[in-house]
Amino acid sequence: MLKIGGIVVLLAICFEGTAQLSPVRQALNRMQKGKWKSAEESLRKSLLKDTLNPEAKLIFSEFYFFNENPSHNIDSAYRYANRAMRDYSAISPREKDRLKRFPLDSAILTGQRRKIDSVAFEQAKQINTEKSYQDFLTRFVDAREHPVAVELRNEVAFVDALKVNTYQSFLDYLTKYPASARTGAARQRYEKLLFENKTRDGTLQGFEAFYRTYPLSPYRNVAEKNIFEITTASGRPSSFMAFLTEYPSASFRSRAEAILYHLLKEEDAPEVFITLTDSLKQVQQAEQVYWVPVLRNGKFGFIDQRGNETIGPQFDNLPAEYLCGNLKADFLTVAGGIISRSGRWIVKGPVTEAVDLGSGFLKIKKGNCIQLVHKSGFVLPGACYEDGKLLARNFVAVKDRMKWGLISLTGRILMSPQYDDIGAIDGLIIFIRNGKKMIVTVDQVSALLEKSTLPSSLVFDDVQRLAQGNYLVRNATLEGV
């Protein structure tokens, strides 16, 4: 009994020269002795004699499978194994019985191919590239390792996409492997990198183009937020009106309306109420009458001047100044926080002080911290400022670590705290640092959101208002208007 490559061969001769070997058995004998060239000649002679020859093709598969063979070739071994299986399925049952003595049957043929598949898969793993796994999947189509090879190929391809790290690399990955376990992660990275690429200039034009071009993007709302904040950065009522006209279905519509409502309410501009939502119309109507506190079952509530209950009794106590009635403010400080006239909470939690800055903004003091809150309920960024104020009704100035910065009315940081003070004269914004006063316009400040910089051409020791549009400026002993 002789084993070659896992196939057991029963040799019918006991010693050399007593019988004549068939070409296949000659090939086996020569392969055992490492005579690869003559073994190949014997196998080809056998195939010329009989083309329907499963045993010759099986041994040819073994011939190419041996690593010691200079002609070693996994693809050729696989090809001959498949040919042997086709030949075996085509021969008669009688021939199959005869081949059992070789030995050769379907189990041996299947085992040969699986052995080749396994070696080919290990080679692909050693190379460990997308191409090596794809080549394995393409060449060894019936291998049991297919599912694992697919997973490994997809993983290596994902890592390759990560190394490139562009939206195009992940789009290519998603196109090639839509069923991959990494599809979710690839999709997230694609969407994020696409958004960053298309809006990298940070301009209104870039965000608007993305908003129109990619309506299904999960970052469309981020684009809309930037559009909203950039277009309204000046804080002018007209900018909010323009946004509402251009984006009537925007998710930021309610915030734009709330800010606009409070801006125009102070200007007594009734035309704005045409565009208001029902909820803001109710707020506007409620603010037309004064309120009176009532006490029932130990709880305070409110009624309006007509005796209608506006907020049911629910508060343990009220500020002393509320007890006389005639309340006309559009917010109320109560136990537990601050509420609007509609009964909606603006701020929850204990409040030390609430100051109305105008244009819908409140300066809320909690302990030693100042927060800036809009009466509609949204909070400007920053949980603990030292101070805050409204500038020219266009911006909110905040103080942190003894320095002042600027925030837009929508809550976008325009400038981090870095100036000794920031003031306003009419429509001009005055930045003060080291005793010098730099004059800029509202538009120049709002342009900061598009990565602009403040002009520094108008810097003076002092600036005073003479009349609307005329200002006295001084540098040392020099003065001008």
Side-chain angles (χ1 to χ4, degrees), residues 86-102:
R86 286 196 297 269
D87 284 6
Y88 184 78
S89 65
I91 62 177
S92 67
R94 183 177 178 181
E95 279 294 300
K96 289 179 181 177
D97 286 338
R98 181 188 67 81
L99 287 177
K100 287 181 180 179
R101 299 191 299 271
F102 183 72

Side-chain angles (χ1 to χ4, degrees), residues 372-440:
L372 288 305
V373 181
H374 193 265
K375 291 176 182 177
S376 62
F378 73 88
V379 182
L380 296 187
C384 190
Y385 289 113
E386 296 167 9
D387 202 356
K389 58 186 176 181
L390 195 68
L391 284 184
R393 300 182 65 242
N394 300 91
F395 311 107
V396 176
V398 292
K399 186 179 182 182
D400 184 31
R401 298 180 183 180
M402 304 301 293
K403 297 295 181 181
W404 287 86
L406 279 186
I407 300 176
S408 74
L409 300 187
T410 62
R412 184 74 169 259
I413 295 176
L414 298 167
M415 181 176 294
S416 61
Q418 55 188 278
Y419 287 91
D420 298 333
D421 199 2
I422 305 176
I425 303 178
D426 298 331
L428 299 178
I429 308 299
I430 314 297
F431 292 92
I432 303 172
R433 180 189 283 162
N434 299 327
K436 291 288 187 177
K437 298 182 178 181
M438 180 173 66
I439 302 175
V440 297

Side-chain angles (χ1 to χ4, degrees), residues 273-306:
F273 300 121
I274 298 174
T275 66
L276 293 182
T277 60
D278 290 340
S279 60
L280 281 176
K281 287 178 181 177
Q282 292 174 3
V283 171
Q284 188 266 337
Q285 291 170 1
E287 291 173 354
Q288 303 304 308
V289 296
Y290 65 82
W291 285 12
V292 176
V294 293
L295 180 64
R296 186 187 309 149
N297 298 326
K299 298 288 185 181
F300 286 99
F302 295 94
I303 60 174
D304 64 20
Q305 64 195 46
R306 302 182 184 91

